[in-house]
Amino acid sequence: MPGVDPDKDVEISVDSDVLTIRAERSEKSESKTHSEFRYGSLARSVRLPAGARAEEATADYKDGILTVKVPVPESKTGAHTIKVNRADS
């Protein structure tokens, strides 16, 4: 997201389990004979995995790169043994 001021032009929100990033940039250059305007906006939405802790999310902006981190607890996918209880008649 080069050319974007993260303090003014970036909005990050979470609604239910959807993370949305909105950004808008605009540049203006003028001289005696002409002026140029460049502008654009973007919006991206990503569904967060079950158990994501949106309230602990962080966002960093460095060298034009926006990094958003949302902690997700590890899910245990390993096999486990189930004990069979014996019911005597």
Side-chain angles (χ1 to χ4, degrees):
M1 299 177 65
V4 174
D5 183 351
D7 296 326
K8 296 187 291 185
D9 301 331
V10 177
E11 177 188 326
I12 303 171
S13 62
V14 177
D15 185 14
S16 297
D17 60 347
V18 177
L19 172 79
T20 302
I21 300 171
R22 289 184 182 87
E24 188 170 329
R25 78 176 196 172
S26 60
E27 295 179 39
K28 179 180 175 182
S29 61
E30 295 183 32
S31 69
K32 290 182 179 184
T33 58
H34 73 280
S35 61
E36 293 183 20
F37 298 93
R38 291 182 291 278
Y39 57 91
S41 62
L42 69 89
R44 299 289 184 267
S45 295
V46 178
R47 184 169 304 281
L48 297 173
R53 297 189 299 255
E55 63 279 355
E56 297 177 23
T58 60
D60 297 308
Y61 183 85
K62 181 179 180 184
D63 298 330
I65 298 173
L66 177 67
T67 305
V68 180
K69 296 179 183 180
V70 180
V72 178
E74 289 186 32
S75 61
K76 297 180 182 178
T77 57
H80 62 280
T81 304
I82 300 172
K83 182 180 176 185
V84 177
N85 294 319
R86 185 175 179 160
D88 292 326
S89 314

